[in-house]
Amino acid sequence: MPDAAKDRIAASMTMCRRAGKLLLGFDPVKEAAQQGHVCCILLAADVSPKTEKETHFFAGEIPVRKLPYDMDALTAYFRKRTAVFGVCEQGFAAKLLTLLPPQSAEECE
């Protein structure tokens, strides 16, 4: 992925966080998703297979995308080490989904 695209993803996530519409952590994202408040779920590039599988399970129809950043890079941006992010605003979710390609079926397993 080109650096410019990665920069746009980071900028969108940062703005979403400042607006209070980005959830960090598996449990908060799962809870909000079950209540219907999450528009899309983002995963760190180095998320564990177990966490990725559980996220896809509870996500249901919510789009799930992998970020081009590992947890260390995301920790530098958000000051919390986590692999699961939930976007709770449709505008930010739409922007991020256009920047992140859908996963192939092989990547989801």
Side-chain angles (χ1 to χ4, degrees), residues 1-15 22 41-48 52 65-78 80-85 96 99-101 103 107:
M1 177 172 283
D3 286 341
K6 288 173 75 173
D7 291 344
R8 286 195 302 270
I9 292 166
S12 294
M13 288 181 70
T14 302
M15 286 190 316
L22 184 68
I41 299 172
L42 308 172
L43 301 174
D46 58 347
V47 64
S48 75
E52 184 173 5
R65 299 288 193 275
K66 263 198 175 169
L67 293 164
Y69 300 104
D70 61 12
M71 283 192 285
D72 291 335
L74 292 165
T75 301
Y77 281 115
F78 301 109
K80 181 177 178 186
R81 186 166 176 81
T82 185
V84 183
F85 299 83
L96 287 162
L99 294 171
L100 294 164
Q103 295 175 290
E107 291 178 39

Side-chain angles (χ1 to χ4, degrees), residues 17-40:
R17 172 71 180 212
R18 286 185 181 162
K21 300 296 182 180
L22 184 68
L23 298 174
L24 281 70
F26 181 85
D27 291 333
V29 172
K30 180 179 179 182
E31 185 178 320
Q34 289 171 339
Q35 295 172 1
H37 299 301
V38 176
C39 300
C40 77

